[in-house]
Amino acid sequence: MQSKTRKISSLAIAGAFAASVAAVGATPVVAADDMVKCYGIAKKGENDCKAGPGTSCSGTSSVDYQGNAWKLVKKGTCGQVSTPAGKGSLTCLTTRPSGQNYQCG
Amino acid sequence: MSQLSEIQTGFARAVLNAKDPVPEGVESHLRTKPLKRFGVYRNNVYVSLVSVLEGRFPVVARLLGEDFFKATARVFVEQNPPNSPVLMRYGGQFPEFLEIFEPVADLPWLGDVARLEWAWNLAYHAADREPVGSEALAAIDPSTAASLHAEFHPAVQLIRSVYPVVTIWSENSKDGEPDHIDAGAGGEDGLIVRPGIAVEVRHLPLGGAAFIAALTKGKTLGEAAEAAFEEDTAFDLQANIAGLIASGAIAELRAG
């Protein structure tokens, strides 16, 4: 059986590969250890982890900006996040300026 | 006296079949069959499974509206109770269900939107792995590129659709009113990646899906490029390789 004619030369592939590696360069992918847990900024159901007792981790916060639900954010940015319910915090928030209370324990 | 396992099986069946009588062994202090109380229990099971689906398929829920979605999900739960105690695995058959569920027959693209959301869920829960880095790439001799094999990141999912599924999904996953979308505008392919902790959905360029599908099957870079050109002559090899690497879709490139 005759082998199929190659439409693309390996030289063309080598060129495309070299060019794409150069184009990508050192694209930084944010590593998990550059992230911190930031409480009180996740929208409803979008927390990365921790919410009240009886819930099992991610996606379980039931209100926006729940004080005991955290979202991973880039280090150094947590306190800068402002939400309608107050600023983000590196520790669990039992109360929020809006008056809501959450269980942290 | 029944065996415990028989009682449990009967109980589970009765919970999921709304028309079944109160199962054997379930009694109230009045020694009557507590139909209403069992109904509360039954309803809690349905409501929690429906809310699992609502959380897993937020775009489908938005497209159908809350009431319609809940009614649809309830029928699905009746016909497809969980077969794993792990709820993150629940809902895999929902896309197929939507494709044959008569009341949504006028939304033929809905199944693919659900498929994309299920793929998002798989990517979210997939194992962590470091995508291929620039050092490893620099160590590859480009003249051997045609014979390279790609190993994909565990989170990578490919979605192919004859509908503009990526646009429908992205327009409806952001806040605010979605732009007008022409469902007949032609198909779209999507790549779902999660290089770090955030899931990303990318719209693949022409031939991109054929390229990835071939690589997934163990074809070399050269063979995959040919498969992609065969599907679409507008396939841009360089852009596709760069896109795959930059998106963190590739975990490793191996020779031979």
Side-chain angles (χ1 to χ4, degrees):
Chain A
M1 202 171 84
Q2 199 181 1
S3 76
K4 215 174 89 187
T5 327
R6 290 207 165 257
K7 288 181 226 76
I8 314 156
S9 74
S10 46
L11 194 67
I13 292 167
F17 181 78
S20 43
V21 168
V24 173
T27 317
V29 175
V30 181
D33 54 4
D34 289 336
M35 312 292 284
V36 290
K37 298 172 184 179
C38 188
Y39 285 91
I41 59 161
K43 296 198 90 178
K44 172 182 168 181
E46 290 182 10
N47 59 316
D48 287 321
C49 216
K50 184 148 182 188
T55 60
S56 59
C57 216
S58 66
T60 54
S61 62
S62 52
V63 295
D64 285 351
Y65 321 119
Q66 195 169 314
N68 57 357
W70 54 259
K71 194 154 186 69
L72 285 170
V73 297
K74 236 180 150 209
K75 232 177 228 173
T77 62
C78 180
Q80 298 162 18
V81 183
S82 290
T83 75
K87 281 193 184 299
S89 160
L90 292 171
T91 52
C92 187
L93 296 159
T94 49
T95 55
R96 307 241 49 194
S98 55
Q100 268 140 326
N101 293 300
Y102 300 102
Q103 205 171 328
C104 281
Chain B
M1 192 75 184
S2 309
Q3 296 289 315
L4 178 63
S5 64
E6 284 172 29
I7 296 175
Q8 287 175 329
T9 310
F11 187 88
R13 198 187 304 119
V15 164
L16 290 160
N17 294 293
K19 288 172 195 86
D20 274 19
V22 175
E24 190 200 337
V26 176
E27 284 171 6
S28 75
H29 65 289
L30 296 168
R31 297 267 158 204
T32 54
K33 285 286 172 194
L35 188 61
K36 269 191 180 167
R37 290 180 189 195
F38 188 70
V40 171
Y41 188 91
R42 190 180 257 157
N43 194 52
N44 280 341
V45 171
Y46 274 108
V47 168
S48 57
L49 290 175
V50 165
S51 84
V52 166
L53 294 171
E54 202 177 12
R56 189 139 300 153
F57 299 96
V59 170
V60 173
R62 178 178 177 170
L63 290 163
L64 292 180
E66 194 180 344
D67 293 345
F68 196 119
F69 179 84
K70 282 190 167 154
T72 302
R74 207 175 165 105
V75 178
F76 173 79
V77 171
E78 264 170 45
Q79 296 176 6
N80 303 269
N83 49 20
S84 158
V86 184
L87 276 183
M88 74 182 193
R89 298 198 188 119
Y90 187 55
Q93 300 112 320
F94 195 53
E96 288 79 43
F97 169 83
L98 290 175
E99 275 170 351
I100 53 164
F101 188 53
E102 192 60 37
V104 295
D106 56 337
L107 308 173
W109 35 266
L110 197 64
D112 281 350
V113 175
R115 210 160 269 129
L116 193 159
E117 295 202 281
W118 178 251
W120 193 103
N121 173 61
L122 293 178
Y124 186 72
H125 291 292
D128 292 337
R129 188 163 175 189
E130 200 67 38
V132 68
S134 44
E135 272 177 40
L137 290 169
I140 295 169
D141 174 3
S143 69
T144 66
S147 58
L148 287 175
H149 288 273
E151 196 178 317
F152 283 90
H153 186 279
V156 166
Q157 303 284 331
L158 185 62
I159 288 284
R160 309 203 65 177
S161 178
V162 295
Y163 302 104
V165 67
V166 180
T167 305
I168 296 174
W169 179 85
S170 61
E171 281 298 319
N172 287 283
S173 10
K174 58 186 192 197
D175 289 339
E177 275 298 296
D179 278 349
H180 175 78
I181 303 160
D182 177 5
E188 285 179 358
D189 301 322
L191 181 71
I192 294 145
V193 288
R194 205 211 66 216
I197 49 167
V199 178
E200 290 164 32
V201 178
R202 290 168 177 251
H203 182 186
L204 284 171
L206 295 170
F211 184 58
I212 295 166
L215 288 172
T216 316
K217 283 186 201 131
K219 302 279 185 200
T220 65
L221 213 58
E223 292 163 340
E226 288 197 8
F229 273 116
E230 243 161 61
E231 184 174 288
D232 204 305
T233 48
F235 175 71
D236 181 341
L237 179 60
Q238 186 188 322
N240 275 273
I241 298 174
L244 279 182
I245 295 170
S247 65
I250 292 182
E252 204 184 332
L253 284 168
R254 275 179 285 103

